[in-house]
Amino acid sequence: MISCAPVALFVYNRPWHTRQTVEALLANIEAADTPLYIFSDAPKDTEASNAVVEVRSFLREISGFKSVSIIERENNYGLARSVIDGVSLVCKQHGQVIVLEDD
């Protein structure tokens, strides 16, 4: 049995970029054996709100991975805090992680 490293994907308010990133990951031959963790940061202002909602709606439709775990932040963490927290969480559970951002 293949033991694939989990992927941590950090997204914010770029629906097209998020979709393209997920489609590229799904094209990987080992996607079905790969756990996917998606960290969706909360909007930092009202201008970002609609795009964040659109991204999160798309995230709920994702399938094709071993598992899909979506972590929706209730507050805006910003990229650095989000990545540090997310990578720490996944590494604690799996001991390894592949890190991607939505752009």
Side-chain angles (χ1 to χ4, degrees), residues 19 51-62 72:
R19 185 176 300 275
V52 169
V53 168
E54 186 177 345
V55 166
R56 289 180 174 184
S57 177
F58 167 71
L59 297 179
R60 292 183 193 99
E61 300 172 5
I62 296 172
E72 294 181 355

Side-chain angles (χ1 to χ4, degrees), residues 19-90:
R19 185 176 300 275
Q20 293 298 307
T21 303
V22 170
E23 288 175 3
L25 287 170
L26 282 168
N28 185 311
I29 195 167
E30 295 177 347
D33 297 314
T34 302
L36 176 63
Y37 290 82
I38 307 170
F39 296 87
S40 174
D41 208 356
K44 61 182 167 187
D45 54 37
T46 54
E47 289 182 32
S49 186
N50 287 340
V52 169
V53 168
E54 186 177 345
V55 166
R56 289 180 174 184
S57 177
F58 167 71
L59 297 179
R60 292 183 193 99
E61 300 172 5
I62 296 172
S63 63
F65 295 92
K66 181 177 182 179
S67 61
V68 178
S69 301
I70 303 168
I71 297 86
E72 294 181 355
R73 305 292 190 193
E74 293 182 20
N75 300 307
N76 184 272
Y77 276 36
L79 183 60
R81 180 179 172 202
S82 184
V83 169
I84 291 167
D85 185 75
V87 168
S88 297
L89 176 87
V90 177

